[in-house]
């Protein structure tokens, strides 16, 4: 059973918050641990947002508790009436994630039967200790660099295989490929995009993220590769044009890497298209349909290369 960093932080933070609250002599000191559990997040950005939502909601809860309990008494009806006003207020202020946390504070004030300044100060310290402990622990986030590089390598290897299989089919009609790289790549891309988004949220001051843009670019390219396959299977027979395009695909399959060499391939693609335009017109309907599919294939691979050309590794 694998134990994640969030579990470890919770296991460390909960007793730590309770211990600090105990040292400060706070009432309801165990609640500091509950607040810490509720505030542990998987990214730094979510951690800061969570801390703000919960702190702001707790401050509003203290004010609402004083008003409603003093007006309607310390009874369940007062809690119900207060919730009718408190919950819409937090939603309006975009701090609704703090509702659960603030309910801990509300119940403390409710059972006190009298809200005095020393009790309010005690609750504010509890909030500070609980949320602060979680915030400090969330400052450390494990690096995702190695896993993202692994995903990048897997995707590039699969792209190379897919493009090489397209070349094989154009050259000799090889249909022995199982296509498992297509399924694998679709799964890896989803996982990689999710992980790269987490990496974005772990860097508060970074405006760009190389991996996030990279996997977005590869997703667009993968969609084009999937669209190319029906075109390739619809090309009947091996023609001179098909052989030249297969050579181009073979060369392209060897150049799948993070670097940007798309401009060179686009130039070769233009030269090949110009050469095809100078060729004799197809003599039969089958040759015409095959030629049309090949030109459509060229358009798709051109778009594939344009996506790569637009990607800049400097987006870090």
């Amino acid at each position: 059973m694998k134990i994640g960093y969030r579990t470890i932080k919770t296991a460390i933070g909960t007793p730590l918050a309770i211990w600090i609250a105990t040292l400060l002599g706070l009432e309801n000191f165990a609640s500091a641990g509950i607040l810490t559990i509720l505030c542990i997040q998987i990214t730094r950005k979510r951690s800061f947002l969570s801390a703000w939502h919960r702190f702001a909601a707790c401050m509003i809860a203290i004010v609402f508790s004083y008003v409603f309990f003093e007006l309607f008494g310390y009874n369940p009806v007062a809690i119900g009436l207060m919730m009718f006003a408190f919950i819409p207020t937090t939603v309006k202020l975009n701090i609704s994630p703090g509702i659960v946390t603030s309910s801990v504070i509300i119940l403390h004030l409710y059972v006190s039967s009298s809200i005095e300044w020393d009790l309010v100060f005690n609750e504010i310290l509890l909030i500070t200790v609980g949320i602060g402990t979680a915030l400090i622990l969330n400052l450390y986030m494990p690096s995702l660099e190695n896993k993202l590089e692994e995903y990048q390598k897997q995707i590039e290897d699969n792209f190379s295989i897919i493009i090489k299989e397209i070349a094989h089919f154009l050259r000799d009609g090889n249909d022995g490929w199982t296509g498992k790289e297509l399924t694998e790549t679709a799964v890896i891309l989803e996982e990689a995009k999710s992980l790269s988004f987490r990496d974005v949220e772990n860097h508060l001051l970074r405006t760009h993220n190389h991996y996030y843009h990279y996997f977005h670019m590869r997703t667009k390219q993968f969609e084009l590769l999937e669209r190319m396959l029906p075109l390739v299977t619809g090309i009947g027979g091996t023609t001179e044009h098909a052989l030249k395009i297969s050579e181009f695909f073979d060369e392209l399959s060897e150049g799948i890497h993070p670097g940007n060499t798309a401009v060179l391939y686009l130039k070769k693609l233009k030269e090949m298209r110009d050469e095809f335009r100078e060729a004799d017109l197809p003599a039969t309907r089958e040759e015409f349909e095959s030629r049309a599919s090949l030109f459509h294939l060229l358009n798709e691979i051109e778009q594939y290369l344009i996506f790569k050309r637009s990607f800049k590794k400097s987006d870090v």
Side-chain angles (χ1 to χ4, degrees):
M1 182 175 61
K2 185 178 180 181
I3 298 177
Y5 279 94
R6 190 174 181 181
T7 302
I8 295 173
K9 289 178 182 180
T10 302
I12 295 174
T14 302
L16 180 61
I18 295 174
W19 178 66
I20 294 173
T22 304
L23 289 180
L24 294 174
L26 301 179
E27 295 183 16
N28 302 307
F29 54 83
S31 296
I34 296 175
L35 295 174
T36 298
I37 293 172
L38 294 172
C39 291
I40 294 292
Q41 299 295 320
I42 61 173
T43 68
R44 289 192 184 98
K45 184 177 181 180
R46 293 187 194 181
S47 174
F48 279 97
L49 283 175
S50 174
W52 160 245
H53 291 156
R54 284 160 172 75
F55 185 81
C58 286
M59 294 300 102
I60 294 174
I62 290 174
V63 175
F64 273 57
S65 296
Y66 179 80
V67 172
F68 278 84
F69 292 158
E70 291 298 319
L71 283 177
F72 302 104
Y74 291 78
N75 55 70
V77 175
I79 292 180
L81 292 173
M82 186 187 71
M83 287 301 177
F84 274 116
F86 174 68
I87 294 176
T89 300
T90 58
V91 173
K92 183 69 174 179
L93 296 175
N94 293 321
I95 55 173
S96 55
I99 292 174
V100 176
T101 308
S102 57
S103 65
V104 176
I105 304 303
I106 291 171
L107 293 177
H108 287 174
L109 299 175
Y110 172 73
V111 299
S112 70
S113 299
S114 178
I115 300 177
E116 304 292 341
W117 280 112
D118 57 342
L119 177 59
V120 172
F121 184 65
N122 181 87
E123 296 304 307
I124 292 175
L125 283 180
L126 272 179
I127 296 166
T128 303
V129 171
I131 296 177
T133 301
L135 194 59
I136 291 172
L137 287 172
N138 279 332
L139 289 176
Y140 170 74
M141 290 292 172
S143 175
L144 304 175
E145 189 84 13
N146 291 338
K147 190 62 178 177
L148 289 169
E149 286 183 357
E150 181 183 330
Y151 280 143
Q152 176 178 297
K153 180 66 167 56
Q154 290 175 339
I155 290 169
E156 289 171 358
D157 288 346
N158 282 359
F159 269 39
S160 180
I161 293 171
I162 294 168
I163 293 175
K164 190 175 289 292
E165 289 296 335
I166 291 176
H168 288 170
F169 192 91
L170 289 171
R171 185 167 50 249
D172 51 33
N174 180 17
D175 59 354
W177 180 43
T178 62
K180 68 181 182 65
E181 286 78 14
L182 291 168
T183 306
E184 289 177 0
T185 303
V187 173
I188 294 170
L189 278 170
E190 287 302 314
E191 293 176 354
K193 286 190 294 183
S194 176
L195 195 65
S196 64
F197 186 72
R198 278 180 56 187
D199 193 52
V200 170
E201 291 196 334
N202 276 338
H203 297 84
L204 300 176
L205 301 179
R206 184 180 292 180
T207 57
H208 296 284
N209 181 278
H210 160 64
Y211 287 107
Y212 180 78
H213 294 295
Y214 173 83
F215 292 121
H216 182 66
M217 177 269 294
R218 288 301 189 193
T219 299
K220 289 183 175 180
Q221 287 188 314
F222 182 64
E223 291 171 357
L224 286 169
L225 288 176
E226 289 183 308
R227 283 186 359 211
M228 290 179 203
L229 293 173
L231 291 174
V232 174
T233 55
I235 297 171
T238 302
T239 65
E240 180 183 353
H241 295 91
L243 288 174
K244 288 185 177 180
I245 294 177
S246 72
E247 291 175 1
F248 179 79
F249 271 80
D250 267 329
E251 185 178 352
L252 184 61
S253 70
E254 301 296 332
I256 307 295
H257 56 75
N260 207 332
T261 56
V263 175
L264 298 177
Y265 290 112
L266 282 168
K267 182 180 178 181
K268 292 180 181 180
L269 190 65
K270 182 180 181 303
E271 292 172 354
M272 186 164 53
R273 182 184 278 118
D274 291 340
E275 182 182 339
F276 288 175
R277 287 198 181 100
E278 299 297 325
D280 295 334
L281 293 175
T284 65
R285 178 184 178 87
E286 288 75 14
E287 288 180 10
F288 176 81
E289 291 176 348
S290 179
R291 187 85 60 89
S293 294
L294 286 171
F295 270 92
H296 193 177
L297 184 62
L298 288 179
N299 291 334
E300 296 286 33
I301 198 62
E302 180 181 37
Q303 190 60 49
Y304 171 95
L305 292 169
I306 288 173
F307 281 143
K308 184 61 189 297
R309 185 181 63 183
S310 65
F311 171 72
K312 297 180 181 179
K313 194 174 181 180
S314 57
D315 289 339
V316 178

